[in-house]
């Protein structure tokens, strides 16, 4: 990656990041004015070319004015992200599409009407007003309208489309709280709007509408099944349901070699969303997944290793009894809860207290596909096969 920016924040960058609490408390209506002021302050920073992290319904984004190439360049420096990885441009609703995209495919408005605001990014032909840097030099742009009220208010007040990747250091675990953002980016960005934990917890689904048939480049908060209702011929992710553990290893090699121009969705990097600690993900859901994680915990404990486990509520007691540190993901039958907690759980076990983290997948139906994708990438592109 020849275009990787330096690891240092700009010389003129503030050392300390401003923390703006915008969590609304139903018992304190007087807060509304203070929150509005803080959002206005953040919008002014964006208009001045600054960097502001803000909550969306998926994960926290690191925003900059998408029409200001210098501001956008600062995002790459703050994250340590290579310029080959394109950014998603955030708008409040489909009426702004003409500001960021051109030659809209006929499907675009129908899909937007169904899923926006929400966790869906559409890849469309890029308008000239959006600098090439946003799109890794490509002719397309990823666009989404986030559903979070703080994001909505911020973009409307800034009155400009906002380019925003997830607000974490490159390759790391995406942030679902302001504290996660602070841990990764304090001193490297101007401000963080703290709107509390995000609700969806995994990133948006990225759909390329410039190809025929349209294709999912990254599974996410909007499911393949829901998309099929509006785009019957939509293709699933290229490395999705069909990939087995061996293919995933090949994909890991390929991703390192892939020329920038052909890397259609850099979220496809085999290692991504990854903790520092070694992570073993067993590719089995339900009872088989539970048994695989228990057995791996037992083996690791027998070797004297400290084990962290990602576990649904019902799985926790047996793992705790084996001496594992457990981060709970909620009820086993609620994949929405699992997605919402996944990244915070991974981060909580990734502080050096354990030698290995163990987890299992959740099938590939519904949100299971996005969970499968993120768990696999967090584990470096490699899943552990489980005997039938
Ligand atoms: O939920 C989300 O999508 C979050 C929130 C902040 O909106 N954002 C996010 O951004 O996850 P980021 O930069 O971490 O991931 C964006 C991914 C890229 O890695 C790439 O896969 C895809 O979106 N992408 C963006 N623009 C694209 C384009 N023009 N063509 C193909 N893929 C694109
Ligand atoms: Mg990201």
């Amino acid at each position: 990656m020849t275009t990787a920016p330096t690891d240092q924040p700009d010389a003129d960058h503030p050392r300390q990041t401003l923390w703006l609490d915008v969590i609304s408390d139903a018992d304190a209506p007087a807060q509304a004015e203070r929150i509005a002021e803080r959002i206005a302050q953040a919008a002014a920073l964006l208009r001045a070319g600054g960097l502001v992290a803000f909550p969306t319904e998926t994960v926290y984004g690191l925003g900059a004015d998408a029409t200001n190439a210098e501001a956008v360049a600062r995002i790459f420096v703050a994250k340590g992200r290579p310029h080959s990885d394109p950014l998603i441009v955030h708008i409040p609703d489909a009426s702004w599409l003409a500001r960021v995209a051109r030659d809209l495919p006929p499907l675009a408005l129908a899909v937007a009407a169904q899923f926006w605001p929400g966790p869906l990014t559409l890849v469309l032909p890029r308008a000239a007003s959006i600098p090439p840097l946003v799109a890794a030099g490509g002719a397309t742009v990823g666009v989404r309208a986030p559903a979070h009220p703080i994001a909505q208010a911020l973009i409307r007040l800034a009155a400009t489309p906002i380019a925003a990747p997830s607000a974490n250091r490159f390759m790391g675990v995406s942030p679902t709280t302001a504290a996660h953002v602070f841990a990764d980016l304090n001193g490297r960005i101007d401000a963080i709007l703290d709107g509390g934990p995000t609700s969806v917890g995994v990133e948006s689904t990225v759909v390329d509408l410039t190809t025929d048939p349209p294709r999912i480049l990254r599974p996410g908060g909007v499911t393949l099944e829901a998309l099929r209702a509006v785009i019957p011929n939509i293709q699933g992710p290229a490395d999705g349901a069909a990939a087995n553990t061996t293919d995933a290893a090949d994909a890991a090699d390929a991703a390192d070699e892939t020329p920038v121009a052909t890397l259609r969705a850099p979220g496809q990097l085999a290692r991504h969303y990854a903790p520092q600690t070694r992570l073993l993900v067993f590719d089995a859901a339900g009872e088989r997944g539970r048994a695989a994680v228990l057995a791996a915990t037992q083996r690791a404990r027998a070797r004297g290793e400290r084990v962290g486990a990602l576990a649904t509520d019902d799985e926790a007691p047996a793992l705790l009894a084996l001496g594992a540190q457990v981060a709970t993901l909620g009820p086993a039958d609620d994949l929405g809860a699992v997605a919402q907690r996944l990244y915070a759980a991974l981060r909580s076990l990734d502080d050096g207290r354990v030698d290995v983290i163990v987890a299992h997948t959740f099938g590939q139906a519904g949100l299971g596909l996005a969970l499968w994708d993120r768990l696999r990438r967090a584990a470096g592109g490699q899943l552990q096969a489980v005997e039938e």
Side-chain angles (χ1 to χ4, degrees), residues 54 56-62 79 81 85-90 119-124 134-136 138-144 146 164-168 174 202-206 208 217-218 263-268 272-273 374:
F54 61 97
T56 80
E57 74 279 29
T58 58
V59 301
Y60 275 71
L62 175 56
K79 283 193 58 134
R81 173 163 168 147
D85 204 354
L87 307 178
I88 294 170
V89 174
H90 296 68
L120 179 68
T121 295
L122 300 179
V123 172
L124 300 166
V134 170
T140 63
V141 61
V143 187
R144 98 171 177 98
S166 53
N168 52 280
S174 293
V202 293
E203 299 82 352
S204 61
T205 304
V206 179
D208 191 347
L217 300 180
R218 177 180 72 179
L263 195 60
R264 287 203 68 89
Q268 289 173 8
H272 204 157
Y273 315 104
R374 299 310 190 278

Short mmCIF file of all heavy atoms in Angstrom, two decimals, residues 54 56-62 79 81 85-90 119-124 134-136 138-144 146 164-168 174 202-206 208 217-218 263-268 272-273 374, ligand 1:
data_model
loop_
_atom_site.label_atom_id
_atom_site.label_comp_id
_atom_site.label_asym_id
_atom_site.label_seq_id
_atom_site.Cartn_x
_atom_site.Cartn_y
_atom_site.Cartn_z
N PHE A 54 -19.29 10.63 15.46
CA PHE A 54 -20.71 10.76 15.82
C PHE A 54 -21.38 9.39 15.79
O PHE A 54 -20.95 8.48 15.07
CB PHE A 54 -21.42 11.73 14.86
CG PHE A 54 -21.40 11.30 13.42
CD1 PHE A 54 -22.50 10.64 12.86
CD2 PHE A 54 -20.30 11.55 12.61
CE1 PHE A 54 -22.49 10.23 11.52
CE2 PHE A 54 -20.29 11.14 11.27
CZ PHE A 54 -21.37 10.49 10.74
N THR A 56 -24.01 6.56 14.78
CA THR A 56 -25.06 6.19 13.83
C THR A 56 -25.73 4.97 14.47
O THR A 56 -25.31 4.50 15.53
CB THR A 56 -24.51 5.81 12.44
OG1 THR A 56 -24.01 4.48 12.47
CG2 THR A 56 -23.43 6.78 11.97
N GLU A 57 -26.77 4.44 13.83
CA GLU A 57 -27.43 3.28 14.41
C GLU A 57 -26.56 2.03 14.31
O GLU A 57 -26.78 1.06 15.04
CB GLU A 57 -28.80 3.05 13.74
CG GLU A 57 -28.75 2.46 12.34
CD GLU A 57 -28.48 3.52 11.27
OE1 GLU A 57 -27.82 4.53 11.56
OE2 GLU A 57 -28.93 3.31 10.12
N THR A 58 -25.54 2.04 13.43
CA THR A 58 -24.69 0.85 13.28
C THR A 58 -23.50 0.92 14.21
O THR A 58 -23.42 0.17 15.19
CB THR A 58 -24.21 0.72 11.82
OG1 THR A 58 -23.50 1.90 11.44
CG2 THR A 58 -25.38 0.47 10.87
N VAL A 59 -22.54 1.78 13.88
CA VAL A 59 -21.35 2.01 14.70
C VAL A 59 -21.06 3.50 14.65
O VAL A 59 -21.69 4.23 13.88
CB VAL A 59 -20.13 1.21 14.15
CG1 VAL A 59 -20.42 -0.29 14.12
CG2 VAL A 59 -19.72 1.70 12.76
N TYR A 60 -20.12 3.97 15.49
CA TYR A 60 -19.73 5.38 15.42
C TYR A 60 -18.95 5.64 14.14
O TYR A 60 -18.11 4.82 13.73
CB TYR A 60 -18.88 5.78 16.64
CG TYR A 60 -19.73 6.16 17.84
CD1 TYR A 60 -20.44 5.19 18.55
CD2 TYR A 60 -19.84 7.48 18.25
CE1 TYR A 60 -21.24 5.53 19.63
CE2 TYR A 60 -20.62 7.85 19.33
CZ TYR A 60 -21.32 6.88 20.03
OH TYR A 60 -22.11 7.23 21.09
N GLY A 61 -19.24 6.78 13.50
CA GLY A 61 -18.52 7.18 12.30
C GLY A 61 -17.55 8.30 12.62
O GLY A 61 -17.74 9.04 13.58
N LEU A 62 -16.49 8.43 11.79
CA LEU A 62 -15.55 9.54 11.92
C LEU A 62 -15.79 10.47 10.74
O LEU A 62 -15.38 10.17 9.61
CB LEU A 62 -14.10 9.03 11.94
CG LEU A 62 -13.04 10.14 11.96
CD1 LEU A 62 -13.25 11.07 13.14
CD2 LEU A 62 -11.65 9.55 11.98
N LYS A 79 -7.04 7.76 11.16
CA LYS A 79 -7.29 6.32 11.29
C LYS A 79 -6.08 5.46 10.98
O LYS A 79 -6.06 4.26 11.29
CB LYS A 79 -8.40 5.88 10.30
CG LYS A 79 -9.80 6.25 10.73
CD LYS A 79 -10.84 5.51 9.88
CE LYS A 79 -10.70 4.02 9.93
NZ LYS A 79 -11.91 3.25 10.13
N ARG A 81 -5.39 4.87 7.88
CA ARG A 81 -6.06 4.07 6.84
C ARG A 81 -5.45 4.36 5.48
O ARG A 81 -5.20 5.51 5.15
CB ARG A 81 -7.55 4.45 6.85
CG ARG A 81 -8.40 3.86 5.74
CD ARG A 81 -9.85 3.99 6.15
NE ARG A 81 -10.80 3.73 5.11
CZ ARG A 81 -12.00 3.18 5.36
NH1 ARG A 81 -12.33 2.81 6.58
NH2 ARG A 81 -12.86 3.01 4.39
N ASP A 85 -8.80 2.55 0.46
CA ASP A 85 -10.04 2.10 1.10
C ASP A 85 -11.07 3.24 1.04
O ASP A 85 -10.90 4.25 1.73
CB ASP A 85 -9.72 1.73 2.56
CG ASP A 85 -10.71 0.76 3.15
OD1 ASP A 85 -11.71 0.45 2.49
OD2 ASP A 85 -10.47 0.32 4.28
N PRO A 86 -12.13 3.12 0.22
CA PRO A 86 -13.06 4.23 0.04
C PRO A 86 -13.96 4.47 1.25
O PRO A 86 -14.18 3.57 2.06
CB PRO A 86 -13.89 3.80 -1.17
CG PRO A 86 -13.86 2.31 -1.14
CD PRO A 86 -12.52 1.93 -0.57
N LEU A 87 -14.48 5.70 1.34
CA LEU A 87 -15.32 6.10 2.48
C LEU A 87 -16.78 6.14 2.06
O LEU A 87 -17.10 6.41 0.91
CB LEU A 87 -14.92 7.50 2.96
CG LEU A 87 -13.45 7.71 3.28
CD1 LEU A 87 -13.22 9.18 3.69
CD2 LEU A 87 -13.00 6.77 4.39
N ILE A 88 -17.66 5.91 3.03
CA ILE A 88 -19.10 6.05 2.79
C ILE A 88 -19.49 7.51 3.03
O ILE A 88 -19.07 8.12 4.01
CB ILE A 88 -19.88 5.11 3.74
CG1 ILE A 88 -19.59 3.65 3.38
CG2 ILE A 88 -21.38 5.40 3.66
CD1 ILE A 88 -20.12 2.65 4.40
N VAL A 89 -20.30 8.06 2.12
CA VAL A 89 -20.81 9.42 2.28
C VAL A 89 -22.21 9.35 2.88
O VAL A 89 -23.06 8.60 2.40
CB VAL A 89 -20.82 10.16 0.93
CG1 VAL A 89 -21.48 11.52 1.08
CG2 VAL A 89 -19.40 10.29 0.40
N HIS A 90 -22.41 10.13 3.94
CA HIS A 90 -23.68 10.09 4.68
C HIS A 90 -24.53 11.31 4.34
O HIS A 90 -24.04 12.44 4.38
CB HIS A 90 -23.40 10.04 6.19
CG HIS A 90 -22.69 8.79 6.62
ND1 HIS A 90 -21.39 8.51 6.27
CD2 HIS A 90 -23.11 7.73 7.36
CE1 HIS A 90 -21.05 7.34 6.78
NE2 HIS A 90 -22.06 6.84 7.43
N PRO A 119 -29.45 0.98 7.92
CA PRO A 119 -28.09 0.43 7.79
C PRO A 119 -27.81 -0.16 6.41
O PRO A 119 -27.45 -1.33 6.30
CB PRO A 119 -28.03 -0.62 8.89
CG PRO A 119 -29.44 -1.07 9.09
CD PRO A 119 -30.31 0.12 8.77
N LEU A 120 -28.00 0.63 5.37
CA LEU A 120 -27.75 0.19 3.99
C LEU A 120 -26.97 1.25 3.24
O LEU A 120 -27.38 2.41 3.19
CB LEU A 120 -29.08 -0.06 3.27
CG LEU A 120 -28.91 -0.52 1.82
CD1 LEU A 120 -28.30 -1.92 1.75
CD2 LEU A 120 -30.24 -0.49 1.07
N THR A 121 -25.84 0.84 2.65
CA THR A 121 -25.01 1.72 1.81
C THR A 121 -25.18 1.30 0.36
O THR A 121 -25.08 0.12 0.04
CB THR A 121 -23.54 1.62 2.24
OG1 THR A 121 -23.41 2.14 3.56
CG2 THR A 121 -22.63 2.41 1.29
N LEU A 122 -25.45 2.28 -0.52
CA LEU A 122 -25.59 2.01 -1.94
C LEU A 122 -24.36 2.53 -2.68
O LEU A 122 -23.98 3.69 -2.52
CB LEU A 122 -26.85 2.70 -2.48
CG LEU A 122 -28.16 2.26 -1.82
CD1 LEU A 122 -29.34 3.03 -2.42
CD2 LEU A 122 -28.36 0.75 -2.00
N VAL A 123 -23.74 1.68 -3.48
CA VAL A 123 -22.62 2.11 -4.33
C VAL A 123 -23.22 2.57 -5.66
O VAL A 123 -23.93 1.81 -6.33
CB VAL A 123 -21.59 0.98 -4.51
CG1 VAL A 123 -20.54 1.37 -5.54
CG2 VAL A 123 -20.94 0.66 -3.17
N LEU A 124 -22.94 3.84 -5.99
CA LEU A 124 -23.56 4.52 -7.14
C LEU A 124 -22.48 5.26 -7.92
O LEU A 124 -21.38 5.49 -7.40
CB LEU A 124 -24.59 5.54 -6.61
CG LEU A 124 -25.75 4.95 -5.79
CD1 LEU A 124 -26.49 6.06 -5.04
CD2 LEU A 124 -26.69 4.18 -6.70
N VAL A 134 -12.33 10.40 -1.62
CA VAL A 134 -13.42 9.75 -0.87
C VAL A 134 -13.63 8.33 -1.38
O VAL A 134 -13.95 7.42 -0.62
CB VAL A 134 -14.73 10.57 -1.02
CG1 VAL A 134 -15.92 9.80 -0.46
CG2 VAL A 134 -14.60 11.92 -0.33
N ALA A 135 -13.43 8.17 -2.72
CA ALA A 135 -13.80 6.92 -3.39
C ALA A 135 -12.59 6.10 -3.80
O ALA A 135 -12.68 5.29 -4.71
CB ALA A 135 -14.66 7.25 -4.60
N ALA A 136 -11.46 6.32 -3.14
CA ALA A 136 -10.22 5.60 -3.49
C ALA A 136 -9.91 5.78 -4.96
O ALA A 136 -9.40 4.87 -5.61
CB ALA A 136 -10.33 4.12 -3.12
N GLY A 138 -11.90 5.94 -7.41
CA GLY A 138 -12.81 5.24 -8.31
C GLY A 138 -13.95 6.12 -8.82
O GLY A 138 -14.12 7.26 -8.39
N ALA A 139 -14.73 5.58 -9.74
CA ALA A 139 -15.82 6.32 -10.38
C ALA A 139 -17.12 6.19 -9.60
O ALA A 139 -18.14 6.77 -9.97
CB ALA A 139 -16.03 5.80 -11.80
N THR A 140 -17.10 5.42 -8.50
CA THR A 140 -18.33 5.22 -7.73
C THR A 140 -18.20 5.86 -6.35
O THR A 140 -17.12 6.26 -5.94
CB THR A 140 -18.61 3.71 -7.53
OG1 THR A 140 -17.54 3.14 -6.77
CG2 THR A 140 -18.73 2.98 -8.88
N VAL A 141 -19.34 5.92 -5.66
CA VAL A 141 -19.33 6.41 -4.28
C VAL A 141 -20.34 5.59 -3.47
O VAL A 141 -21.42 5.27 -3.97
CB VAL A 141 -19.65 7.92 -4.22
CG1 VAL A 141 -21.03 8.23 -4.79
CG2 VAL A 141 -19.52 8.46 -2.80
N GLY A 142 -19.96 5.24 -2.26
CA GLY A 142 -20.88 4.57 -1.34
C GLY A 142 -21.67 5.63 -0.59
O GLY A 142 -21.09 6.57 -0.05
N VAL A 143 -23.00 5.50 -0.56
CA VAL A 143 -23.86 6.52 0.05
C VAL A 143 -24.84 5.86 1.01
O VAL A 143 -25.42 4.83 0.68
CB VAL A 143 -24.69 7.27 -1.02
CG1 VAL A 143 -25.43 8.44 -0.39
CG2 VAL A 143 -23.81 7.74 -2.16
N ARG A 144 -25.00 6.48 2.19
CA ARG A 144 -26.08 5.98 3.04
C ARG A 144 -26.71 7.08 3.86
O ARG A 144 -26.08 8.10 4.15
CB ARG A 144 -25.61 4.81 3.90
CG ARG A 144 -25.22 5.09 5.32
CD ARG A 144 -25.01 3.75 6.06
NE ARG A 144 -24.55 3.93 7.43
CZ ARG A 144 -25.36 3.89 8.50
NH1 ARG A 144 -26.65 3.67 8.35
NH2 ARG A 144 -24.86 4.05 9.71
N PRO A 146 -28.10 7.49 7.45
CA PRO A 146 -28.17 6.81 8.75
C PRO A 146 -29.46 7.18 9.48
O PRO A 146 -29.99 8.27 9.32
CB PRO A 146 -26.95 7.34 9.50
CG PRO A 146 -26.64 8.66 8.87
CD PRO A 146 -27.10 8.58 7.44
N ALA A 164 -17.72 9.38 6.21
CA ALA A 164 -17.44 8.82 7.54
C ALA A 164 -17.20 7.31 7.48
O ALA A 164 -18.11 6.54 7.21
CB ALA A 164 -18.59 9.10 8.51
N PRO A 165 -15.96 6.91 7.75
CA PRO A 165 -15.70 5.49 8.01
C PRO A 165 -16.02 5.20 9.46
O PRO A 165 -16.34 6.12 10.22
CB PRO A 165 -14.19 5.37 7.76
CG PRO A 165 -13.66 6.70 8.22
CD PRO A 165 -14.75 7.72 7.91
N SER A 166 -15.95 3.95 9.87
CA SER A 166 -16.08 3.64 11.28
C SER A 166 -14.94 4.33 12.03
O SER A 166 -13.82 4.43 11.52
CB SER A 166 -16.04 2.13 11.50
OG SER A 166 -14.89 1.57 10.89
N ALA A 167 -15.23 4.81 13.25
CA ALA A 167 -14.29 5.68 13.98
C ALA A 167 -13.31 4.88 14.84
O ALA A 167 -13.20 5.08 16.06
CB ALA A 167 -15.08 6.68 14.83
N ASN A 168 -12.59 3.97 14.19
CA ASN A 168 -11.58 3.16 14.88
C ASN A 168 -10.28 3.26 14.09
O ASN A 168 -10.28 3.70 12.95
CB ASN A 168 -12.03 1.68 14.91
CG ASN A 168 -12.42 1.18 13.53
OD1 ASN A 168 -13.53 1.45 13.06
ND2 ASN A 168 -11.51 0.49 12.86
N SER A 174 -14.66 -2.07 15.20
CA SER A 174 -15.46 -0.85 15.08
C SER A 174 -16.01 -0.43 16.44
O SER A 174 -16.30 -1.27 17.29
CB SER A 174 -16.61 -1.07 14.10
OG SER A 174 -16.12 -1.25 12.79
N VAL A 202 -23.46 -3.75 14.16
CA VAL A 202 -22.57 -4.09 13.04
C VAL A 202 -22.81 -3.07 11.93
O VAL A 202 -23.85 -2.41 11.90
CB VAL A 202 -22.76 -5.52 12.49
CG1 VAL A 202 -22.32 -6.55 13.52
CG2 VAL A 202 -24.19 -5.75 12.04
N GLU A 203 -21.84 -2.94 11.04
CA GLU A 203 -21.90 -1.90 10.02
C GLU A 203 -23.03 -2.14 9.02
O GLU A 203 -23.62 -3.21 8.96
CB GLU A 203 -20.56 -1.81 9.27
CG GLU A 203 -19.36 -1.47 10.13
CD GLU A 203 -18.79 -2.67 10.86
OE1 GLU A 203 -19.42 -3.75 10.82
OE2 GLU A 203 -17.73 -2.53 11.47
N SER A 204 -23.22 -1.12 8.18
CA SER A 204 -24.26 -1.20 7.15
C SER A 204 -23.93 -2.28 6.13
O SER A 204 -22.78 -2.64 5.91
CB SER A 204 -24.37 0.15 6.43
OG SER A 204 -23.16 0.48 5.79
N THR A 205 -24.96 -2.80 5.50
CA THR A 205 -24.83 -3.66 4.33
C THR A 205 -24.43 -2.76 3.16
O THR A 205 -25.02 -1.70 2.96
CB THR A 205 -26.17 -4.33 4.02
OG1 THR A 205 -26.60 -5.03 5.19
CG2 THR A 205 -26.06 -5.30 2.84
N VAL A 206 -23.40 -3.18 2.40
CA VAL A 206 -22.98 -2.40 1.22
C VAL A 206 -23.45 -3.13 -0.03
O VAL A 206 -23.09 -4.29 -0.24
CB VAL A 206 -21.46 -2.20 1.18
CG1 VAL A 206 -21.05 -1.40 -0.06
CG2 VAL A 206 -20.96 -1.51 2.45
N ASP A 208 -23.73 -2.89 -4.23
CA ASP A 208 -23.27 -2.24 -5.46
C ASP A 208 -24.41 -2.24 -6.47
O ASP A 208 -24.80 -3.30 -6.97
CB ASP A 208 -22.05 -2.98 -6.00
CG ASP A 208 -21.36 -2.20 -7.12
OD1 ASP A 208 -21.96 -1.23 -7.63
OD2 ASP A 208 -20.21 -2.57 -7.46
N LEU A 217 -21.60 -6.28 -1.35
CA LEU A 217 -20.15 -6.26 -1.18
C LEU A 217 -19.77 -6.55 0.27
O LEU A 217 -18.71 -7.08 0.54
CB LEU A 217 -19.57 -4.90 -1.58
CG LEU A 217 -19.83 -4.49 -3.04
CD1 LEU A 217 -19.21 -3.11 -3.31
CD2 LEU A 217 -19.26 -5.52 -4.00
N ARG A 218 -20.65 -6.17 1.18
CA ARG A 218 -20.42 -6.44 2.61
C ARG A 218 -21.76 -6.68 3.27
O ARG A 218 -22.64 -5.82 3.24
CB ARG A 218 -19.73 -5.23 3.28
CG ARG A 218 -19.54 -5.40 4.78
CD ARG A 218 -18.86 -4.20 5.44
NE ARG A 218 -19.72 -3.03 5.53
CZ ARG A 218 -19.37 -1.88 6.07
NH1 ARG A 218 -18.13 -1.72 6.54
NH2 ARG A 218 -20.22 -0.87 6.13
N LEU A 263 -10.06 -4.03 -5.77
CA LEU A 263 -10.57 -4.27 -4.42
C LEU A 263 -11.88 -3.50 -4.30
O LEU A 263 -11.91 -2.37 -3.86
CB LEU A 263 -9.54 -3.78 -3.40
CG LEU A 263 -9.68 -4.23 -1.96
CD1 LEU A 263 -9.60 -5.75 -1.88
CD2 LEU A 263 -8.61 -3.61 -1.12
N ARG A 264 -12.98 -4.12 -4.70
CA ARG A 264 -14.24 -3.38 -4.79
C ARG A 264 -14.74 -2.95 -3.43
O ARG A 264 -15.34 -1.91 -3.29
CB ARG A 264 -15.30 -4.21 -5.52
CG ARG A 264 -15.04 -4.31 -7.00
CD ARG A 264 -16.33 -4.62 -7.75
NE ARG A 264 -17.28 -3.53 -7.72
CZ ARG A 264 -17.30 -2.56 -8.62
NH1 ARG A 264 -16.43 -2.50 -9.57
NH2 ARG A 264 -18.21 -1.61 -8.53
N ALA A 265 -14.57 -3.76 -2.44
CA ALA A 265 -15.00 -3.38 -1.09
C ALA A 265 -13.89 -3.75 -0.11
O ALA A 265 -13.73 -4.91 0.23
CB ALA A 265 -16.28 -4.09 -0.71
N PRO A 266 -13.12 -2.77 0.31
CA PRO A 266 -12.01 -3.07 1.20
C PRO A 266 -12.46 -3.65 2.53
O PRO A 266 -11.64 -4.18 3.26
CB PRO A 266 -11.32 -1.72 1.38
CG PRO A 266 -11.70 -0.98 0.13
CD PRO A 266 -13.11 -1.39 -0.14
N GLY A 267 -13.75 -3.57 2.84
CA GLY A 267 -14.26 -4.32 3.98
C GLY A 267 -14.03 -5.81 3.74
O GLY A 267 -14.18 -6.63 4.63
N GLN A 268 -13.67 -6.15 2.50
CA GLN A 268 -13.38 -7.55 2.13
C GLN A 268 -12.01 -8.00 2.60
O GLN A 268 -11.68 -9.17 2.44
CB GLN A 268 -13.46 -7.73 0.62
CG GLN A 268 -14.88 -7.66 0.07
CD GLN A 268 -14.90 -7.66 -1.44
OE1 GLN A 268 -13.88 -7.86 -2.09
NE2 GLN A 268 -16.07 -7.44 -2.02
N HIS A 272 -9.71 -7.99 9.42
CA HIS A 272 -10.37 -6.70 9.58
C HIS A 272 -11.20 -6.83 10.85
O HIS A 272 -11.45 -7.93 11.30
CB HIS A 272 -11.26 -6.46 8.38
CG HIS A 272 -11.54 -5.00 8.11
ND1 HIS A 272 -11.91 -4.54 6.89
CD2 HIS A 272 -11.52 -3.91 8.91
CE1 HIS A 272 -12.10 -3.23 6.93
NE2 HIS A 272 -11.88 -2.83 8.16
N TYR A 273 -11.63 -5.71 11.42
CA TYR A 273 -12.49 -5.78 12.61
C TYR A 273 -11.82 -6.67 13.67
O TYR A 273 -12.49 -7.42 14.37
CB TYR A 273 -13.87 -6.36 12.26
CG TYR A 273 -14.49 -5.81 11.00
CD1 TYR A 273 -14.51 -6.52 9.81
CD2 TYR A 273 -15.06 -4.53 11.00
CE1 TYR A 273 -15.09 -6.00 8.66
CE2 TYR A 273 -15.63 -4.01 9.85
CZ TYR A 273 -15.64 -4.75 8.69
OH TYR A 273 -16.20 -4.24 7.55
N ARG A 374 -18.15 -10.89 10.09
CA ARG A 374 -17.31 -10.11 11.00
C ARG A 374 -16.48 -11.02 11.90
O ARG A 374 -15.31 -10.73 12.18
CB ARG A 374 -18.15 -9.18 11.88
CG ARG A 374 -18.94 -8.15 11.12
CD ARG A 374 -18.12 -7.36 10.10
NE ARG A 374 -18.93 -6.26 9.61
CZ ARG A 374 -19.85 -6.37 8.64
NH1 ARG A 374 -20.03 -7.53 8.03
NH2 ARG A 374 -20.58 -5.33 8.28
O1 LIG B 1 -22.37 1.30 9.09
C1 LIG B 1 -21.46 1.77 8.42
O2 LIG B 1 -21.36 1.55 7.20
C2 LIG B 1 -20.44 2.64 9.13
C3 LIG B 1 -21.15 3.90 9.64
C4 LIG B 1 -20.19 4.89 10.25
O3 LIG B 1 -21.88 4.47 8.60
N1 LIG B 1 -19.37 2.99 8.26
C5 LIG B 1 -18.43 2.09 7.88
O4 LIG B 1 -17.44 2.63 7.10
O5 LIG B 1 -18.43 0.92 8.20
P1 LIG B 1 -16.06 1.91 6.80
O6 LIG B 1 -15.25 2.91 6.10
O7 LIG B 1 -15.51 1.37 8.03
O8 LIG B 1 -16.44 0.81 5.77
C6 LIG B 1 -16.89 1.26 4.51
C7 LIG B 1 -16.85 0.16 3.53
C8 LIG B 1 -15.53 0.05 2.82
O9 LIG B 1 -14.61 -0.72 3.50
C9 LIG B 1 -15.98 -0.58 1.55
O10 LIG B 1 -16.17 -1.95 1.84
C10 LIG B 1 -17.31 0.02 1.28
O11 LIG B 1 -17.76 0.51 2.48
N2 LIG B 1 -17.29 1.10 0.28
C11 LIG B 1 -17.31 2.44 0.47
N3 LIG B 1 -17.31 3.10 -0.69
C12 LIG B 1 -17.29 2.16 -1.66
C13 LIG B 1 -17.26 2.20 -3.09
N4 LIG B 1 -17.28 3.36 -3.75
N5 LIG B 1 -17.23 1.03 -3.74
C14 LIG B 1 -17.22 -0.15 -3.07
N6 LIG B 1 -17.24 -0.25 -1.73
C15 LIG B 1 -17.27 0.88 -1.03
#
